[in-house]
PDB file of all heavy atoms in Angstrom:
ATOM      1  N   GLY A 245      -8.388 -29.199   1.907  1.00  0.00           N
ATOM      2  CA  GLY A 245      -7.507 -30.029   1.088  1.00  0.00           C
ATOM      3  C   GLY A 245      -6.286 -29.163   0.657  1.00  0.00           C
ATOM      4  O   GLY A 245      -5.175 -29.822   0.609  1.00  0.00           O
ATOM      5  N   SER A 246      -6.475 -27.901   0.287  1.00  0.00           N
ATOM      6  CA  SER A 246      -5.346 -27.099  -0.168  1.00  0.00           C
ATOM      7  C   SER A 246      -4.462 -26.806   1.050  1.00  0.00           C
ATOM      8  O   SER A 246      -3.181 -26.855   0.715  1.00  0.00           O
ATOM      9  CB  SER A 246      -5.931 -25.775  -0.765  1.00  0.00           C
ATOM     10  OG  SER A 246      -6.724 -26.080  -1.859  1.00  0.00           O
ATOM     11  N   ARG A 247      -5.014 -26.616   2.122  1.00  0.00           N
ATOM     12  CA  ARG A 247      -4.022 -26.442   3.215  1.00  0.00           C
ATOM     13  C   ARG A 247      -3.262 -27.592   3.623  1.00  0.00           C
ATOM     14  O   ARG A 247      -1.977 -27.528   3.836  1.00  0.00           O
ATOM     15  CB  ARG A 247      -4.756 -25.993   4.477  1.00  0.00           C
ATOM     16  CG  ARG A 247      -5.359 -24.606   4.627  1.00  0.00           C
ATOM     17  CD  ARG A 247      -5.823 -24.038   5.889  1.00  0.00           C
ATOM     18  NE  ARG A 247      -7.020 -24.796   6.300  1.00  0.00           N
ATOM     19  CZ  ARG A 247      -8.201 -24.623   6.060  1.00  0.00           C
ATOM     20  NH1 ARG A 247      -8.600 -23.451   5.429  1.00  0.00           N
ATOM     21  NH2 ARG A 247      -9.200 -25.350   6.466  1.00  0.00           N
ATOM     22  N   LYS A 248      -3.828 -28.747   3.523  1.00  0.00           N
ATOM     23  CA  LYS A 248      -3.105 -29.992   3.698  1.00  0.00           C
ATOM     24  C   LYS A 248      -1.962 -30.336   2.770  1.00  0.00           C
ATOM     25  O   LYS A 248      -1.006 -30.710   2.986  1.00  0.00           O
ATOM     26  CB  LYS A 248      -4.105 -31.206   3.766  1.00  0.00           C
ATOM     27  CG  LYS A 248      -4.931 -31.261   5.125  1.00  0.00           C
ATOM     28  CD  LYS A 248      -5.809 -32.504   5.301  1.00  0.00           C
ATOM     29  CE  LYS A 248      -6.599 -32.517   6.441  1.00  0.00           C
ATOM     30  NZ  LYS A 248      -7.563 -33.657   6.415  1.00  0.00           N
ATOM     31  N   LEU A 249      -2.312 -30.019   1.425  1.00  0.00           N
ATOM     32  CA  LEU A 249      -1.440 -30.229   0.391  1.00  0.00           C
ATOM     33  C   LEU A 249      -0.223 -29.277   0.520  1.00  0.00           C
ATOM     34  O   LEU A 249       0.926 -29.720   0.405  1.00  0.00           O
ATOM     35  CB  LEU A 249      -2.068 -29.943  -0.936  1.00  0.00           C
ATOM     36  CG  LEU A 249      -1.056 -30.074  -2.151  1.00  0.00           C
ATOM     37  CD1 LEU A 249      -0.624 -31.564  -2.304  1.00  0.00           C
ATOM     38  CD2 LEU A 249      -1.913 -29.757  -3.414  1.00  0.00           C
ATOM     39  N   ALA A 250      -0.480 -28.003   0.912  1.00  0.00           N
ATOM     40  CA  ALA A 250       0.602 -27.089   1.100  1.00  0.00           C
ATOM     41  C   ALA A 250       1.499 -27.511   2.267  1.00  0.00           C
ATOM     42  O   ALA A 250       2.690 -27.359   2.247  1.00  0.00           O
ATOM     43  CB  ALA A 250       0.130 -25.725   1.328  1.00  0.00           C
ATOM     44  N   ASP A 251       0.887 -27.916   3.219  1.00  0.00           N
ATOM     45  CA  ASP A 251       1.700 -28.396   4.539  1.00  0.00           C
ATOM     46  C   ASP A 251       2.530 -29.560   4.144  1.00  0.00           C
ATOM     47  O   ASP A 251       3.625 -29.699   4.578  1.00  0.00           O
ATOM     48  CB  ASP A 251       0.674 -28.740   5.738  1.00  0.00           C
ATOM     49  CG  ASP A 251      -0.014 -27.410   6.333  1.00  0.00           C
ATOM     50  OD1 ASP A 251       0.488 -26.308   5.994  1.00  0.00           O
ATOM     51  OD2 ASP A 251      -0.895 -27.653   7.000  1.00  0.00           O
ATOM     52  N   ALA A 252       1.902 -30.464   3.390  1.00  0.00           N
ATOM     53  CA  ALA A 252       2.726 -31.748   2.976  1.00  0.00           C
ATOM     54  C   ALA A 252       3.905 -31.332   2.103  1.00  0.00           C
ATOM     55  O   ALA A 252       4.971 -31.775   2.324  1.00  0.00           O
ATOM     56  CB  ALA A 252       1.827 -32.702   2.316  1.00  0.00           C
ATOM     57  N   HIS A 253       3.618 -30.397   1.184  1.00  0.00           N
ATOM     58  CA  HIS A 253       4.737 -29.883   0.389  1.00  0.00           C
ATOM     59  C   HIS A 253       5.885 -29.259   1.153  1.00  0.00           C
ATOM     60  O   HIS A 253       7.018 -29.538   0.790  1.00  0.00           O
ATOM     61  CB  HIS A 253       4.155 -29.024  -0.812  1.00  0.00           C
ATOM     62  CG  HIS A 253       5.149 -28.568  -1.722  1.00  0.00           C
ATOM     63  ND1 HIS A 253       5.856 -27.512  -1.556  1.00  0.00           N
ATOM     64  CD2 HIS A 253       5.560 -29.112  -2.944  1.00  0.00           C
ATOM     65  CE1 HIS A 253       6.758 -27.308  -2.551  1.00  0.00           C
ATOM     66  NE2 HIS A 253       6.519 -28.390  -3.382  1.00  0.00           N
ATOM     67  N   ALA A 254       5.365 -28.398   1.952  1.00  0.00           N
ATOM     68  CA  ALA A 254       6.461 -27.682   2.824  1.00  0.00           C
ATOM     69  C   ALA A 254       7.228 -28.682   3.676  1.00  0.00           C
ATOM     70  O   ALA A 254       8.474 -28.385   3.822  1.00  0.00           O
ATOM     71  CB  ALA A 254       5.758 -26.673   3.693  1.00  0.00           C
ATOM     72  N   ALA A 255       6.677 -29.777   4.257  1.00  0.00           N
ATOM     73  CA  ALA A 255       7.355 -30.686   4.918  1.00  0.00           C
ATOM     74  C   ALA A 255       8.274 -31.514   4.231  1.00  0.00           C
ATOM     75  O   ALA A 255       9.249 -32.067   4.738  1.00  0.00           O
ATOM     76  CB  ALA A 255       6.335 -31.579   5.670  1.00  0.00           C
ATOM     77  N   ARG A 256       8.137 -31.669   2.807  1.00  0.00           N
ATOM     78  CA  ARG A 256       8.944 -32.496   2.148  1.00  0.00           C
ATOM     79  C   ARG A 256       9.921 -31.933   0.975  1.00  0.00           C
ATOM     80  O   ARG A 256      10.378 -32.487   0.199  1.00  0.00           O
ATOM     81  CB  ARG A 256       8.015 -33.565   1.417  1.00  0.00           C
ATOM     82  CG  ARG A 256       7.545 -34.482   2.463  1.00  0.00           C
ATOM     83  CD  ARG A 256       6.271 -35.367   1.834  1.00  0.00           C
ATOM     84  NE  ARG A 256       5.707 -36.224   2.702  1.00  0.00           N
ATOM     85  CZ  ARG A 256       4.877 -36.003   3.636  1.00  0.00           C
ATOM     86  NH1 ARG A 256       4.467 -34.752   3.877  1.00  0.00           N
ATOM     87  NH2 ARG A 256       4.363 -36.890   4.435  1.00  0.00           N
ATOM     88  N   SER A 257       9.810 -30.491   1.014  1.00  0.00           N
ATOM     89  CA  SER A 257      10.616 -29.838  -0.029  1.00  0.00           C
ATOM     90  C   SER A 257      11.467 -28.719   0.505  1.00  0.00           C
ATOM     91  O   SER A 257      11.195 -28.007   1.437  1.00  0.00           O
ATOM     92  CB  SER A 257       9.463 -29.123  -0.950  1.00  0.00           C
ATOM     93  OG  SER A 257      10.149 -28.416  -1.989  1.00  0.00           O
ATOM     94  N   ALA A 258      12.516 -28.745  -0.072  1.00  0.00           N
ATOM     95  CA  ALA A 258      13.615 -27.710   0.361  1.00  0.00           C
ATOM     96  C   ALA A 258      13.228 -26.357  -0.458  1.00  0.00           C
ATOM     97  O   ALA A 258      13.682 -25.357   0.011  1.00  0.00           O
ATOM     98  CB  ALA A 258      14.968 -28.141  -0.075  1.00  0.00           C
ATOM     99  N   ALA A 259      12.407 -26.450  -1.460  1.00  0.00           N
ATOM    100  CA  ALA A 259      11.999 -25.273  -2.132  1.00  0.00           C
ATOM    101  C   ALA A 259      10.871 -24.585  -1.426  1.00  0.00           C
ATOM    102  O   ALA A 259      10.203 -25.194  -0.439  1.00  0.00           O
ATOM    103  CB  ALA A 259      11.463 -25.581  -3.550  1.00  0.00           C
ATOM    104  N   GLY A 260      10.599 -23.467  -1.640  1.00  0.00           N
ATOM    105  CA  GLY A 260       9.463 -22.645  -0.995  1.00  0.00           C
ATOM    106  C   GLY A 260       8.129 -23.155  -1.326  1.00  0.00           C
ATOM    107  O   GLY A 260       7.865 -23.728  -2.465  1.00  0.00           O
ATOM    108  N   THR A 261       7.205 -23.097  -0.448  1.00  0.00           N
ATOM    109  CA  THR A 261       5.747 -23.417  -0.638  1.00  0.00           C
ATOM    110  C   THR A 261       5.104 -22.156  -0.378  1.00  0.00           C
ATOM    111  O   THR A 261       5.151 -21.405   0.551  1.00  0.00           O
ATOM    112  CB  THR A 261       5.324 -24.396   0.509  1.00  0.00           C
ATOM    113  OG1 THR A 261       6.215 -25.690   0.243  1.00  0.00           O
ATOM    114  CG2 THR A 261       3.904 -24.884   0.197  1.00  0.00           C
ATOM    115  N   PHE A 262       4.274 -21.821  -1.386  1.00  0.00           N
ATOM    116  CA  PHE A 262       3.406 -20.583  -1.336  1.00  0.00           C
ATOM    117  C   PHE A 262       1.932 -20.828  -1.353  1.00  0.00           C
ATOM    118  O   PHE A 262       1.540 -21.858  -2.174  1.00  0.00           O
ATOM    119  CB  PHE A 262       3.843 -19.682  -2.572  1.00  0.00           C
ATOM    120  CG  PHE A 262       5.266 -19.313  -2.481  1.00  0.00           C
ATOM    121  CD1 PHE A 262       6.223 -20.082  -3.148  1.00  0.00           C
ATOM    122  CD2 PHE A 262       5.780 -18.140  -1.770  1.00  0.00           C
ATOM    123  CE1 PHE A 262       7.501 -19.820  -3.185  1.00  0.00           C
ATOM    124  CE2 PHE A 262       7.187 -17.963  -1.794  1.00  0.00           C
ATOM    125  CZ  PHE A 262       8.093 -18.748  -2.481  1.00  0.00           C
ATOM    126  N   ALA A 263       1.244 -20.031  -0.703  1.00  0.00           N
ATOM    127  CA  ALA A 263      -0.184 -20.089  -0.694  1.00  0.00           C
ATOM    128  C   ALA A 263      -0.701 -18.702  -0.439  1.00  0.00           C
ATOM    129  O   ALA A 263       0.019 -17.833   0.015  1.00  0.00           O
ATOM    130  CB  ALA A 263      -0.650 -21.082   0.417  1.00  0.00           C
ATOM    131  N   TYR A 264      -1.941 -18.410  -0.837  1.00  0.00           N
ATOM    132  CA  TYR A 264      -2.460 -17.097  -0.521  1.00  0.00           C
ATOM    133  C   TYR A 264      -3.983 -17.280  -0.089  1.00  0.00           C
ATOM    134  O   TYR A 264      -4.680 -18.274  -0.364  1.00  0.00           O
ATOM    135  CB  TYR A 264      -2.477 -16.315  -1.781  1.00  0.00           C
ATOM    136  CG  TYR A 264      -3.152 -16.752  -3.072  1.00  0.00           C
ATOM    137  CD1 TYR A 264      -4.524 -16.534  -3.216  1.00  0.00           C
ATOM    138  CD2 TYR A 264      -2.538 -17.498  -3.901  1.00  0.00           C
ATOM    139  CE1 TYR A 264      -5.174 -16.873  -4.378  1.00  0.00           C
ATOM    140  CE2 TYR A 264      -3.233 -18.063  -5.059  1.00  0.00           C
ATOM    141  CZ  TYR A 264      -4.543 -17.653  -5.306  1.00  0.00           C
ATOM    142  OH  TYR A 264      -5.242 -18.190  -6.340  1.00  0.00           O
ATOM    143  N   LEU A 265      -4.412 -16.248   0.618  1.00  0.00           N
ATOM    144  CA  LEU A 265      -5.791 -16.106   1.073  1.00  0.00           C
ATOM    145  C   LEU A 265      -6.342 -14.826   0.392  1.00  0.00           C
ATOM    146  O   LEU A 265      -5.772 -13.752   0.764  1.00  0.00           O
ATOM    147  CB  LEU A 265      -5.834 -16.107   2.660  1.00  0.00           C
ATOM    148  CG  LEU A 265      -7.240 -15.854   3.294  1.00  0.00           C
ATOM    149  CD1 LEU A 265      -8.112 -17.045   2.843  1.00  0.00           C
ATOM    150  CD2 LEU A 265      -7.080 -15.777   4.728  1.00  0.00           C
ATOM    151  N   PHE A 266      -7.182 -15.003  -0.407  1.00  0.00           N
ATOM    152  CA  PHE A 266      -7.905 -13.808  -1.141  1.00  0.00           C
ATOM    153  C   PHE A 266      -9.222 -13.456  -0.622  1.00  0.00           C
ATOM    154  O   PHE A 266     -10.104 -14.311  -0.649  1.00  0.00           O
ATOM    155  CB  PHE A 266      -8.003 -14.286  -2.657  1.00  0.00           C
ATOM    156  CG  PHE A 266      -8.265 -13.172  -3.551  1.00  0.00           C
ATOM    157  CD1 PHE A 266      -7.365 -12.383  -4.097  1.00  0.00           C
ATOM    158  CD2 PHE A 266      -9.571 -12.976  -3.980  1.00  0.00           C
ATOM    159  CE1 PHE A 266      -7.566 -11.313  -4.953  1.00  0.00           C
ATOM    160  CE2 PHE A 266      -9.882 -11.945  -4.783  1.00  0.00           C
ATOM    161  CZ  PHE A 266      -8.844 -11.138  -5.305  1.00  0.00           C
ATOM    162  N   ARG A 267      -9.169 -12.218  -0.216  1.00  0.00           N
ATOM    163  CA  ARG A 267     -10.475 -11.721   0.532  1.00  0.00           C
ATOM    164  C   ARG A 267     -11.049 -10.626  -0.183  1.00  0.00           C
ATOM    165  O   ARG A 267     -12.009  -9.897   0.423  1.00  0.00           O
ATOM    166  CB  ARG A 267     -10.185 -11.373   1.971  1.00  0.00           C
ATOM    167  CG  ARG A 267      -9.851 -12.676   2.761  1.00  0.00           C
ATOM    168  CD  ARG A 267      -9.722 -12.339   4.243  1.00  0.00           C
ATOM    169  NE  ARG A 267      -9.707 -13.573   4.927  1.00  0.00           N
ATOM    170  CZ  ARG A 267      -9.395 -13.690   6.248  1.00  0.00           C
ATOM    171  NH1 ARG A 267      -9.229 -12.582   6.943  1.00  0.00           N
ATOM    172  NH2 ARG A 267      -9.274 -14.743   6.868  1.00  0.00           N
ATOM    173  N   TRP A 268     -10.577 -10.169  -1.368  1.00  0.00           N
ATOM    174  CA  TRP A 268     -11.156  -9.009  -2.031  1.00  0.00           C
ATOM    175  C   TRP A 268     -12.654  -9.266  -2.375  1.00  0.00           C
ATOM    176  O   TRP A 268     -12.950 -10.287  -2.799  1.00  0.00           O
ATOM    177  CB  TRP A 268     -10.387  -8.717  -3.259  1.00  0.00           C
ATOM    178  CG  TRP A 268     -10.888  -7.467  -4.103  1.00  0.00           C
ATOM    179  CD1 TRP A 268     -10.731  -6.105  -3.789  1.00  0.00           C
ATOM    180  CD2 TRP A 268     -11.612  -7.588  -5.257  1.00  0.00           C
ATOM    181  NE1 TRP A 268     -11.293  -5.492  -4.624  1.00  0.00           N
ATOM    182  CE2 TRP A 268     -11.845  -6.310  -5.696  1.00  0.00           C
ATOM    183  CE3 TRP A 268     -12.077  -8.641  -6.101  1.00  0.00           C
ATOM    184  CZ2 TRP A 268     -12.519  -5.908  -6.808  1.00  0.00           C
ATOM    185  CZ3 TRP A 268     -12.800  -8.320  -7.245  1.00  0.00           C
ATOM    186  CH2 TRP A 268     -12.996  -6.864  -7.574  1.00  0.00           C
ATOM    187  N   ARG A 269     -13.400  -8.266  -2.113  1.00  0.00           N
ATOM    188  CA  ARG A 269     -14.853  -8.343  -2.258  1.00  0.00           C
ATOM    189  C   ARG A 269     -15.333  -7.569  -3.587  1.00  0.00           C
ATOM    190  O   ARG A 269     -15.297  -6.425  -3.525  1.00  0.00           O
ATOM    191  CB  ARG A 269     -15.620  -7.937  -1.109  1.00  0.00           C
ATOM    192  CG  ARG A 269     -17.150  -8.283  -1.030  1.00  0.00           C
ATOM    193  CD  ARG A 269     -17.635  -7.877   0.233  1.00  0.00           C
ATOM    194  NE  ARG A 269     -17.487  -8.846   1.297  1.00  0.00           N
ATOM    195  CZ  ARG A 269     -18.196  -9.906   1.519  1.00  0.00           C
ATOM    196  NH1 ARG A 269     -19.325 -10.172   0.730  1.00  0.00           N
ATOM    197  NH2 ARG A 269     -17.985 -10.717   2.465  1.00  0.00           N
ATOM    198  N   PRO A 270     -15.650  -8.253  -4.684  1.00  0.00           N
ATOM    199  CA  PRO A 270     -16.115  -7.386  -5.876  1.00  0.00           C
ATOM    200  C   PRO A 270     -17.411  -6.717  -5.640  1.00  0.00           C
ATOM    201  O   PRO A 270     -18.241  -7.145  -4.782  1.00  0.00           O
ATOM    202  CB  PRO A 270     -16.256  -8.632  -6.887  1.00  0.00           C
ATOM    203  CG  PRO A 270     -16.473  -9.817  -6.188  1.00  0.00           C
ATOM    204  CD  PRO A 270     -15.726  -9.693  -4.902  1.00  0.00           C
ATOM    205  N   ALA A 271     -17.665  -5.722  -6.319  1.00  0.00           N
ATOM    206  CA  ALA A 271     -18.848  -4.880  -6.144  1.00  0.00           C
ATOM    207  C   ALA A 271     -20.085  -5.534  -6.779  1.00  0.00           C
ATOM    208  O   ALA A 271     -21.240  -5.257  -6.521  1.00  0.00           O
ATOM    209  CB  ALA A 271     -18.714  -3.547  -6.848  1.00  0.00           C
ATOM    210  N   ALA A 272     -19.860  -6.544  -7.798  1.00  0.00           N
ATOM    211  CA  ALA A 272     -20.925  -7.243  -8.347  1.00  0.00           C
ATOM    212  C   ALA A 272     -21.978  -7.810  -7.314  1.00  0.00           C
ATOM    213  O   ALA A 272     -21.552  -8.168  -6.310  1.00  0.00           O
ATOM    214  CB  ALA A 272     -20.527  -8.357  -9.310  1.00  0.00           C
ATOM    215  N   PHE A 273     -23.190  -7.739  -7.615  1.00  0.00           N
ATOM    216  CA  PHE A 273     -24.359  -8.243  -6.762  1.00  0.00           C
ATOM    217  C   PHE A 273     -24.321  -7.543  -5.481  1.00  0.00           C
ATOM    218  O   PHE A 273     -24.449  -8.206  -4.423  1.00  0.00           O
ATOM    219  CB  PHE A 273     -24.340  -9.671  -6.732  1.00  0.00           C
ATOM    220  CG  PHE A 273     -24.473 -10.382  -7.978  1.00  0.00           C
ATOM    221  CD1 PHE A 273     -23.329 -11.016  -8.607  1.00  0.00           C
ATOM    222  CD2 PHE A 273     -25.596 -10.501  -8.750  1.00  0.00           C
ATOM    223  CE1 PHE A 273     -23.335 -11.617  -9.923  1.00  0.00           C
ATOM    224  CE2 PHE A 273     -25.650 -11.123  -9.924  1.00  0.00           C
ATOM    225  CZ  PHE A 273     -24.630 -11.693 -10.506  1.00  0.00           C
ATOM    226  N   GLY A 274     -23.856  -6.290  -5.346  1.00  0.00           N
ATOM    227  CA  GLY A 274     -23.788  -5.644  -4.140  1.00  0.00           C
ATOM    228  C   GLY A 274     -22.788  -6.131  -3.053  1.00  0.00           C
ATOM    229  O   GLY A 274     -22.981  -5.881  -1.985  1.00  0.00           O
ATOM    230  N   GLY A 275     -21.823  -6.810  -3.736  1.00  0.00           N
ATOM    231  CA  GLY A 275     -20.737  -7.328  -2.807  1.00  0.00           C
ATOM    232  C   GLY A 275     -21.162  -8.560  -2.045  1.00  0.00           C
ATOM    233  O   GLY A 275     -20.422  -9.143  -1.284  1.00  0.00           O
ATOM    234  N   SER A 276     -22.259  -9.158  -2.408  1.00  0.00           N
ATOM    235  CA  SER A 276     -22.739 -10.298  -1.612  1.00  0.00           C
ATOM    236  C   SER A 276     -22.112 -11.548  -1.841  1.00  0.00           C
ATOM    237  O   SER A 276     -22.118 -12.449  -1.089  1.00  0.00           O
ATOM    238  CB  SER A 276     -24.334 -10.587  -1.829  1.00  0.00           C
ATOM    239  OG  SER A 276     -24.475 -10.850  -3.225  1.00  0.00           O
ATOM    240  N   LEU A 277     -21.264 -11.610  -2.980  1.00  0.00           N
ATOM    241  CA  LEU A 277     -20.570 -12.840  -3.356  1.00  0.00           C
ATOM    242  C   LEU A 277     -19.382 -13.015  -2.595  1.00  0.00           C
ATOM    243  O   LEU A 277     -18.846 -14.165  -2.350  1.00  0.00           O
ATOM    244  CB  LEU A 277     -20.335 -13.018  -4.786  1.00  0.00           C
ATOM    245  CG  LEU A 277     -21.457 -13.158  -5.786  1.00  0.00           C
ATOM    246  CD1 LEU A 277     -21.009 -13.076  -7.172  1.00  0.00           C
ATOM    247  CD2 LEU A 277     -22.135 -14.427  -5.358  1.00  0.00           C
ATOM    248  N   GLY A 278     -18.749 -11.920  -2.088  1.00  0.00           N
ATOM    249  CA  GLY A 278     -17.395 -11.995  -1.504  1.00  0.00           C
ATOM    250  C   GLY A 278     -16.411 -12.585  -2.473  1.00  0.00           C
ATOM    251  O   GLY A 278     -16.416 -12.414  -3.670  1.00  0.00           O
ATOM    252  N   ALA A 279     -15.310 -13.098  -1.885  1.00  0.00           N
ATOM    253  CA  ALA A 279     -14.235 -13.600  -2.634  1.00  0.00           C
ATOM    254  C   ALA A 279     -14.570 -15.007  -3.136  1.00  0.00           C
ATOM    255  O   ALA A 279     -13.980 -15.924  -2.715  1.00  0.00           O
ATOM    256  CB  ALA A 279     -12.868 -13.437  -1.823  1.00  0.00           C
ATOM    257  N   CYS A 280     -15.482 -15.110  -4.102  1.00  0.00           N
ATOM    258  CA  CYS A 280     -16.000 -16.362  -4.578  1.00  0.00           C
ATOM    259  C   CYS A 280     -14.940 -17.031  -5.422  1.00  0.00           C
ATOM    260  O   CYS A 280     -13.968 -16.478  -5.923  1.00  0.00           O
ATOM    261  CB  CYS A 280     -17.379 -16.346  -5.084  1.00  0.00           C
ATOM    262  SG  CYS A 280     -17.478 -15.210  -6.419  1.00  0.00           S
ATOM    263  N   HIS A 281     -15.221 -18.271  -5.858  1.00  0.00           N
ATOM    264  CA  HIS A 281     -14.422 -19.095  -6.672  1.00  0.00           C
ATOM    265  C   HIS A 281     -13.984 -18.394  -7.882  1.00  0.00           C
ATOM    266  O   HIS A 281     -14.799 -17.928  -8.711  1.00  0.00           O
ATOM    267  CB  HIS A 281     -15.235 -20.436  -7.061  1.00  0.00           C
ATOM    268  CG  HIS A 281     -14.432 -21.357  -7.805  1.00  0.00           C
ATOM    269  ND1 HIS A 281     -13.353 -21.992  -7.323  1.00  0.00           N
ATOM    270  CD2 HIS A 281     -14.657 -21.791  -9.085  1.00  0.00           C
ATOM    271  CE1 HIS A 281     -12.961 -22.952  -8.271  1.00  0.00           C
ATOM    272  NE2 HIS A 281     -13.596 -22.853  -9.269  1.00  0.00           N
ATOM    273  N   CYS A 282     -12.733 -18.438  -8.117  1.00  0.00           N
ATOM    274  CA  CYS A 282     -11.974 -17.911  -9.381  1.00  0.00           C
ATOM    275  C   CYS A 282     -11.995 -16.410  -9.554  1.00  0.00           C
ATOM    276  O   CYS A 282     -11.391 -15.817 -10.354  1.00  0.00           O
ATOM    277  CB  CYS A 282     -12.571 -18.530 -10.568  1.00  0.00           C
ATOM    278  SG  CYS A 282     -12.257 -20.200 -10.807  1.00  0.00           S
ATOM    279  N   VAL A 283     -12.552 -15.705  -8.529  1.00  0.00           N
ATOM    280  CA  VAL A 283     -12.507 -14.210  -8.593  1.00  0.00           C
ATOM    281  C   VAL A 283     -11.215 -13.619  -8.654  1.00  0.00           C
ATOM    282  O   VAL A 283     -10.874 -12.526  -9.022  1.00  0.00           O
ATOM    283  CB  VAL A 283     -13.558 -13.546  -7.787  1.00  0.00           C
ATOM    284  CG1 VAL A 283     -12.957 -13.408  -6.311  1.00  0.00           C
ATOM    285  CG2 VAL A 283     -14.041 -12.071  -8.190  1.00  0.00           C
ATOM    286  N   GLU A 284     -10.261 -14.435  -7.986  1.00  0.00           N
ATOM    287  CA  GLU A 284      -8.843 -13.813  -7.893  1.00  0.00           C
ATOM    288  C   GLU A 284      -8.042 -13.989  -9.053  1.00  0.00           C
ATOM    289  O   GLU A 284      -6.910 -13.427  -9.265  1.00  0.00           O
ATOM    290  CB  GLU A 284      -8.178 -14.657  -6.611  1.00  0.00           C
ATOM    291  CG  GLU A 284      -7.559 -15.889  -7.085  1.00  0.00           C
ATOM    292  CD  GLU A 284      -8.522 -17.173  -7.188  1.00  0.00           C
ATOM    293  OE1 GLU A 284      -9.847 -16.924  -7.098  1.00  0.00           O
ATOM    294  OE2 GLU A 284      -8.092 -18.258  -7.269  1.00  0.00           O
ATOM    295  N   LEU A 285      -8.531 -14.778 -10.111  1.00  0.00           N
ATOM    296  CA  LEU A 285      -7.659 -15.057 -11.264  1.00  0.00           C
ATOM    297  C   LEU A 285      -7.133 -13.784 -12.026  1.00  0.00           C
ATOM    298  O   LEU A 285      -5.980 -13.819 -12.435  1.00  0.00           O
ATOM    299  CB  LEU A 285      -8.330 -16.054 -12.128  1.00  0.00           C
ATOM    300  CG  LEU A 285      -8.563 -17.459 -11.560  1.00  0.00           C
ATOM    301  CD1 LEU A 285      -9.266 -18.336 -12.541  1.00  0.00           C
ATOM    302  CD2 LEU A 285      -7.215 -17.993 -11.126  1.00  0.00           C
ATOM    303  N   PRO A 286      -7.990 -12.747 -12.182  1.00  0.00           N
ATOM    304  CA  PRO A 286      -7.462 -11.538 -12.840  1.00  0.00           C
ATOM    305  C   PRO A 286      -6.247 -11.021 -12.084  1.00  0.00           C
ATOM    306  O   PRO A 286      -5.313 -10.448 -12.668  1.00  0.00           O
ATOM    307  CB  PRO A 286      -8.646 -10.703 -12.949  1.00  0.00           C
ATOM    308  CG  PRO A 286      -9.810 -11.524 -12.775  1.00  0.00           C
ATOM    309  CD  PRO A 286      -9.363 -12.691 -12.042  1.00  0.00           C
ATOM    310  N   PHE A 287      -6.245 -11.089 -10.736  1.00  0.00           N
ATOM    311  CA  PHE A 287      -5.212 -10.505 -10.026  1.00  0.00           C
ATOM    312  C   PHE A 287      -3.939 -11.541 -10.063  1.00  0.00           C
ATOM    313  O   PHE A 287      -2.846 -10.918 -10.162  1.00  0.00           O
ATOM    314  CB  PHE A 287      -5.667 -10.448  -8.477  1.00  0.00           C
ATOM    315  CG  PHE A 287      -6.734  -9.389  -8.274  1.00  0.00           C
ATOM    316  CD1 PHE A 287      -8.080  -9.780  -8.464  1.00  0.00           C
ATOM    317  CD2 PHE A 287      -6.437  -8.174  -7.843  1.00  0.00           C
ATOM    318  CE1 PHE A 287      -8.945  -8.857  -8.211  1.00  0.00           C
ATOM    319  CE2 PHE A 287      -7.473  -7.247  -7.626  1.00  0.00           C
ATOM    320  CZ  PHE A 287      -8.763  -7.557  -7.845  1.00  0.00           C
ATOM    321  N   VAL A 288      -4.127 -12.780 -10.113  1.00  0.00           N
ATOM    322  CA  VAL A 288      -2.999 -13.764 -10.221  1.00  0.00           C
ATOM    323  C   VAL A 288      -2.316 -13.634 -11.501  1.00  0.00           C
ATOM    324  O   VAL A 288      -1.178 -13.615 -11.615  1.00  0.00           O
ATOM    325  CB  VAL A 288      -3.473 -15.127 -10.083  1.00  0.00           C
ATOM    326  CG1 VAL A 288      -2.432 -16.193 -10.351  1.00  0.00           C
ATOM    327  CG2 VAL A 288      -4.089 -15.371  -8.630  1.00  0.00           C
ATOM    328  N   PHE A 289      -3.039 -13.346 -12.571  1.00  0.00           N
ATOM    329  CA  PHE A 289      -2.413 -13.171 -13.919  1.00  0.00           C
ATOM    330  C   PHE A 289      -2.397 -11.798 -14.353  1.00  0.00           C
ATOM    331  O   PHE A 289      -2.114 -11.516 -15.570  1.00  0.00           O
ATOM    332  CB  PHE A 289      -3.358 -14.050 -14.918  1.00  0.00           C
ATOM    333  CG  PHE A 289      -3.231 -15.509 -14.602  1.00  0.00           C
ATOM    334  CD1 PHE A 289      -4.370 -16.208 -14.036  1.00  0.00           C
ATOM    335  CD2 PHE A 289      -2.072 -16.182 -14.776  1.00  0.00           C
ATOM    336  CE1 PHE A 289      -4.154 -17.546 -13.782  1.00  0.00           C
ATOM    337  CE2 PHE A 289      -1.955 -17.571 -14.536  1.00  0.00           C
ATOM    338  CZ  PHE A 289      -2.993 -18.181 -14.004  1.00  0.00           C
TER     339      PHE A 289
END
């Protein structure tokens, strides 16, 4: 859904459309969670 929304925005907007793919793997739980939901927020902010 996020990809579709970004594509639709890019097709209809003269302004830039930005998206990111976050793959950083935290050490918590032996790294087993991977880049799970919201783990990127400290980096974004």
Side-chain angles (χ1 to χ4, degrees):
S246 296
R247 283 192 299 268
K248 286 181 178 179
L249 179 61
D251 289 346
H253 183 270
R256 291 168 178 80
S257 175
T261 300
F262 301 91
Y264 61 90
L265 178 60
F266 189 80
R267 291 187 172 171
W268 179 76
R269 191 175 279 275
F273 302 103
S276 64
L277 293 178
C280 59
H281 185 62
C282 291
V283 78
E284 84 283 7
L285 293 179
F287 293 85
V288 170
F289 295 105

